[in-house]
Every structure is written in structure tokens, then in C-alpha cells.
Amino acid sequence: MFYSKEEFKENFSMRLEQQEQPVTLQTAYSILAGMVREFVKRDWNETNHFYQNEQRKQLYYFSIEFLIGRMLGQNLMNLTIYELVNEGLGELGYDLAELEEQEPEPGLGNGGLGRLAACFMDSLASLQMPGHGCGIRYRGGLFSQVLKDGFQTEHPTDWINDSAGWDIRREDLATYIPFFGEVQPEHGQRFKASLTNAEWVKAVPYDMPIVGAYGKTVNTLRLWQAELPEQHLLPKADVETYKQHVVAISDRLYPDDSTEEGKILRLKQQYFLCSASLQTILKNRDFPVSALPKHVAIQINDTHPALAIPELMRLLLDGEGLSWEEAWGITTHTISYTNHTILEEAMEKWDSSMLEQLLPRIYMIIQEIDRRFKEKCHQENLDSEAKKKLSIIEDGIVKMATLAVVGSYKVNGVAKLHTEILKMREMKELNEHFPHKFHNKTNGITHRRWLMKANPELSSLITSVIGNEWTKDPVKLHQLNEFVQDPVFLGDFKSVKQQKKNQLTEYLEKNQTIKIDPESIFDMHIKRFHGYKRQLMNIFHIQMLYNRIKEDSAYRPYPRTFFFGGKAAKSYRFAKQVIKLINTVAEKINNDPVASKHLHIVFVEDYNVSRAEKMFPAADISEQISTASKEASGTGNMKFMMNGAITLGTFDGANIEIVEQIGDDNAFIFGVTAQQVMQFEEEKTYHAREIIEKDREIGQLISELLSGKLSKGLENIDFIRSQIIDENDPYFVLKDLQHYARTHNRVLAVYEDTLAWQEMSAVNIAQSGIFSSDRTIQQYSDEVWDLEKIYSR
Ligand code: 73E
């Protein structure tokens, strides 16, 4: 325990002295992390006791991903001892920032969906709400990305072995998960059954403390690890192969974002997570099972944990001996579902035969859910198309989204537009059948990590003008509106932005040996690589700028640095070719003596949470250019806004709500609308070829691309070529390209008017409070989970 700087220094020094080996930065980090762990132990225990004694309703957030990022700095901040430790360490000759860099990056997620889960954990604890995460303790998180000759290569990471050791093993809570086997119906009782000859997997939880702001509430992120069970549960023969199968379950995260994998291992992971978490919830309760919905809420983060529905049914039917009606009543009042995407390729569908073989009892329960639901629907006057849409099992395929809707009491989308599209199009029939189930909960981000931690300079500036109430209630950032025309404040803001740009420049020069002009405009496109996110449109536009510079000696635009950062799924060949194209164009432009004075491209390798924390605060422009209707919400857009970057984007996802907050004048919006996109898709009236033929500049660009002139050394652009030409540009890159280019020109014009630009930035910050995940969590709590805050202070 340490409360004063002196106590901290004494404790830290004592531990240093106990070291037998010479102290490296890594050991200093471990010592500090160990001290913080001890520091939170008391509050963690107290929080748990409080939950047990007071019988408050608990939320469990089931998610296959938790992209938590590094913990040390955030925990110190939330404990309000960051400054104390920073100073103490400084006096002992250590640099806290340097120690923070020693912490391995826990990449237990792919992108927005996993990061959202992590922001929610922070908000739940900080709002003092009883909410916990349930996930998988992957040994290897997301691969690290290394560029070789401009191509992405993937390298495994080993988070556990390098682990910071934040989590603790809870052998006492281990549980066993059955796979395969045969179902033995228990005669006489309509739906009770047991499973024989199952293959058992041991699930061991590792608990990680989630420290809320100001310390007091410490919730739990429970990550399950798959292990070989005890002797009596092992098969008689070939234990080695069995072990490999078992260990594989928590061996690695699937590296796909917004894509469905459809592999048996993925299904095993999903069931493993659901069964382990549900068994523990039921086992450790001290209330009758019929009262489950009163005591427990379970949120499933997309359909990846949707097997929680039939698994809870199984436990209630076979374990607790309830009737179908009782079990169904409990399940459908406990579980709620968040949908994160309408992309067809991300909609989870399982082969009935695969499900039936791996999880025979679960499959049987899904069949019964489907049968009963179909029976109900048949009483309505529906056409055959609607009936199809309302079936869970269809042509040998299990549709997880339909199962998730039918088995939940609430279903939400993650931004207004996305929820509307779900209700009016993707899930129209389901919405009509369950008119009160659907609701919107626009995503949010924790301002503690993305503003206070990532940008302490800006945070101090804000506090110096409006006081610090905004840190507890970020909507109060709107008090900044009074200062958005104050030249002194705007000047100070400009200096902070420059400072963050300088810091990023230094960091990248050191880590990636890239030269960057910190005075140039920082334009950033950082997110996973995906067709719909249109990194291709961005690089096409940069190539067009290059052509203009070459053709017109009078065209010499204000210097801009275009940052790209993000990973492509290992098997996503189109996206990987886009990465290579960007790097090829970068090499050409960055080495051109004339063009490089105006345009510079930086590809930030291995983009992850820690790098993101360095990039958002340094941005001037936030590229949010997805094809309208495709990005359900986006959360990077909110991180940029909170740090004063200005959105250059389409009317998609939460961009629309950002503009609602700041007004049209404080963002740069372009492109076809979601309505138009959907109309083009339905009527098939978009023809990319016509644009190539009619627009000279775009025609030139495409012929350069196809001839290889655009991309010398890049022989293979098959996937880009076929997407644009053969597949008729499904993400409307060419359709929006000129409008995008003109909008960039508008951006430049405003940027050169420094005060106008700073004012826009300030308005963005002032209006960003609503995008704190504290607001999102409060809404879920009020409208879905019904949680009570645990302490009143
Ligand atoms: O728009 C984002 C959204 O902000 C959406 O694409 C993303 O979720 C974010 C948080 O709500 C998302 N990821 C996935 N689906 N939607 C996904 C699908 C399969 C595997 C992994 C992630």
C-alpha cells in the first residue's frame, strides 16, 4: 500500500533492492504493476463482498473479444495516483512513460467490437455499476503486423507468456464443458435429457480487476482458459491428440473483423465461453433459479456468444429440471443482444450438421426453439418470403442472428442509422413480429483513456478554462462552447495540437525511422482494412493529387501527411493488396523531390491500442469515409472528435450523430447517402465503367493502375482490379471519388484560415461529451439492464 509519494518511493525502492538480477526496465515495470495489483486488492475484495451481501443485480457482458489495451497507466489514472507515481519514479531516476512501454499489448480483439467491450468495462466500473466481462484468455492475441517490401506479414504474439500478470487464476471456479456425445432423452418428461460419451474440456477462469475511476469500484473481467480435464474425464486412448484439441480452444483469437469464419474451432470457442460463464453464474447464485432475470442480465456482444441462449435453456431444462415454458421465460428475460453489422459476410451461419455433431443437445434445443417460433408465426398471415426470414433453421443452415433476436428480450443496433436499417430492412419481419424489442444504443468511447490518458495536455487545457467537472460528467465539455471564439484559448489549443504532433513525429521517427514534417496537416485513416472502409478511395485520391502536381506546375497545395494504420485479415487478399498499393504509392511520392514537399504518406506498422493512443491526439483530419450504410457505427470517429480532429466523412454510422451535435459547418461531409446506396444495390443502376469512360482523371488513374504504371514493382493487383472492374465497384469508390476530392479542397481552404479551423476543432471537443461510453452505459442500464449504482458518494 502506498498513499503518499514518500511511501511509494520507499516501497518501490525496497522491492528494487530485493532483486537478485540487475534491474531492467522490464523488471521495474513488473515491480510497479505488482504494487498496483496489491493496491487494488482491497477495493476488489470489498466490491465483491458488497455484491454478495447486497444481492444487487449483476450484468455479465459476454464477448468473444476484449481489446483492453495496456493496463498500467490507465489503472494508475483511475486510482488517481498517476501523478504521485510519476513524480516518485522521476525522483528515483525512472520514467513512468518508459515503464508503461514495457507492458505487452494484450491484443484480445480485432477492432471496434472488441474495443467497445473494453470501453464498456471501464465505464461500468467508473459509474460504479455491477457489470463484468466474460471472455476467452487467448494465449495469442491478434497477430503483429510487419511490413516486408510493402506487404503485410503476420507474426504470432504470445500475450500470456509475456504477460503483465494482471489476472489471477481461479482454480476454485474451474468448470467442465461437454462437446460431442449422444443425447439420452429422459422418457416421460417432454424435454429433459442427458448427454453420454461427451468429450470434456476443463475451463479455468482468470480474473482481471477492472478499476473504476477513483478506485472504489473494482469489477471483474473473467477470461476462460481451456485445459485438459482430470484423469477420470479423459478418453481411454490418444490423450495427446485430445490435448491438442483442447488447448487449441483458447490458443488464439480469430483474426477476422466483420467477417464470419464458419470453422469448427470458432464454434468450440463460442460454446466454451457461453457454457463456462453460464455454469458459473448459475452455480454461485444464492437465489431461486426462477428469479434469474431479477438478479442477472446477460448482454451478448453480437451473435458470437448467441449459443448462450440454447445453453441457458439446456442448463435450466436438464440441470434444474424446469419445464420448457419456465426455462424459456427465464432465458428470454435474461439475455439481450447487440447487433454490430449488417454486412452479409459477417452474419453468422452454421451448418446444421456441424452444430449437431459438435453440440448435439444444443442443436436439439435450437430445433425446438425454431419449431415453436415457426408455429407461432404460422398463426400470422405471412407470405413465404417473410416465413423464410423468420426461420432460425433454413435449408440446413442455422442463422445465429435470428436465434439471437428470438431468444432475447431486447435487441439493439449501435447507431441511429444502423438501428433504422435493421428495423426497416435487414430485420424488418422480426421487428414487425417483436415491435418492442428493437432499440438503439449509439456507441461511445471512454473519455478516461481516449482523452484524459491519451492527451493529458489537452485535458489540462480544458480544465484550466472550465474546471474539472467534465472528467466526471463529460457532457459538461459543452462549457467549452463559451471559449470557441476566444483567441487565447484557440492559440493554446493550437500549441497543444502541435505538441502532440511533435510527440508522434518523434515516436515514429524513433520506432519506424520515418521522417515526418510536424508542421504539415496530419490526415489520418486508421482502422481495420476492409473494402467498405475504402482505404482504396483514399490512396486513389492521393494518386490523383500527385498527378495534378506533375501536370500543373502552378498546383502546389499546402503540405499534408497522410497516415494509414490498420491490419488486414490474413486471408483477405483484396485488403492486403490495398496495403501493398499504399506502400508502393508512398515510396514513389515520398521519394519524388517535388511532390514530397506537398504530399507525404506514412503507413504506421502494427496499429494497435497503444499506437492509437499516440495517434488520435495528433490528428487534424479524421477520415471516416465508409460506403454509406456499411459502417454500423464506428468509434474511431468519436476518439478523433474528442481530440479536436475534424471529420472528413460520409453520412454513415455515428458520423451522422457527430454532425447532429456540431452542425454541418463543423465537419466535411460528402458522398452518396445510405438511401442512394441501397437503391443502387436494389435496382442495379450503378455502373462503374461509365465513370471510367467519362471522367478523364479517373480514367487515367484506372489505366495507370491496370498498366502497372501507378504501382511499379507491384505486379499483382488482381483483387483490386477485379473488384473495381468485374465486380462493378461494390463499395462505390469511383462513384464518390470526385466528390471526395472536392471536399478535400474545401478542407484545405479552411485549414489555411487558422482561427476558423481552431474554432471548428474546439466545437468538436465541446460537443463530444455525448460520445462518452458513460452515456451509452447509462442508457443500457436505464433501458435494458436495470442496474443500481453500488456506492453513493
Ligand atoms: O461499425 C463498427 C462498430 O463501431 C462495426 O463494424 C464493428 O463493431 C463496432 C462496435 O459496435 C463490428 N465488428 C464486427 N462486426 N461489427 C465483427 C464481426 C465478426 C468478427 C469480429 C468483429
Side-chain angles (χ1 to χ4, degrees), residues 602-652:
V602 173
F603 195 106
V604 176
E605 209 171 31
D606 200 31
Y607 176 67
N608 57 21
V609 176
S610 316
R611 303 232 154 111
E613 286 170 29
K614 297 181 170 66
M615 295 181 77
F616 285 109
D620 296 307
I621 297 166
S622 156
E623 296 268 358
Q624 305 301 333
I625 60 176
S626 53
T627 312
S629 80
K630 306 289 179 199
E631 187 72 273
S633 163
T635 43
N637 44 6
M638 302 169 186
K639 294 165 197 164
F640 278 119
M641 177 193 191
M642 219 174 246
N643 282 282
I646 295 167
T647 304
L648 164 52
T650 49
F651 251 128
D652 198 19

Side-chain angles (χ1 to χ4, degrees), residues 65 112-113 256-259 304 340-341 414 443 532 631-634:
E65 304 190 1
L113 172 139
D256 296 271
D257 187 85
S258 302
T259 316
H304 320 143
H340 292 266
T341 178
V414 289
N443 282 167
Y532 80 84
E631 187 72 273
S633 163

